[in-house]
Amino acid sequence: MAPSHPVVDGDKQSRTLVNNPAMRVVQFTFDAGAGLSEHDAPGAVAVVLNSGELDFTVDGTVHRMTGGDVLYLAPGVPHAVTAVEASRMTLVITDIG
């Protein structure tokens, strides 16, 4: 796997590691306070918080994630992310159809 990219002050960064018809794998880094606004994905989503702490909002409910936590979302479920502290997250989107 490619080396990790750094957390950038006050920002979020992403790097696509795999992108093919079966799945997409993206590594994100977030500085504290950075995040992703509410959105959904057409496929099933698995999130692994590699390090840090995030507030992961799923369909309006906030879930606090800490390093090592894993979250699954069915296709089309609205979600958003806000970093509580500098964090590194791996996202996997698959086509379960």
Side-chain angles (χ1 to χ4, degrees), residues 21 40 92:
D40 60 42
V92 179

Side-chain angles (χ1 to χ4, degrees), residues 2 4 6 16 25 28 34-35 39-40 43 47 50 55-58 76 82 87 90-91 93:
S4 299
T16 300
V25 179
F28 286 90
H39 60 284
D40 60 42
V47 173
N50 306 102
D55 282 341
F56 206 101
T57 304
V58 179
T82 303
S87 301
T90 302
L91 172 80
I93 303 172

Side-chain angles (χ1 to χ4, degrees), residues 33-96:
L36 298 168
S37 59
E38 187 174 80
H39 60 284
D40 60 42
V45 174
V47 173
V48 178
L49 184 56
N50 306 102
S51 63
E53 192 169 358
L54 298 175
D55 282 341
F56 206 101
T57 304
V58 179
D59 205 14
T61 301
V62 177
H63 302 272
R64 177 68 50 99
M65 295 181 71
T66 58
D69 285 350
V70 177
L71 180 76
Y72 168 81
L73 299 171
V77 174
H79 55 280
V81 177
T82 303
V84 176
E85 63 185 40
S87 301
R88 184 175 310 280
M89 176 182 92
T90 302
L91 172 80
V92 179
I93 303 172
T94 63
D95 179 5
I96 62 171

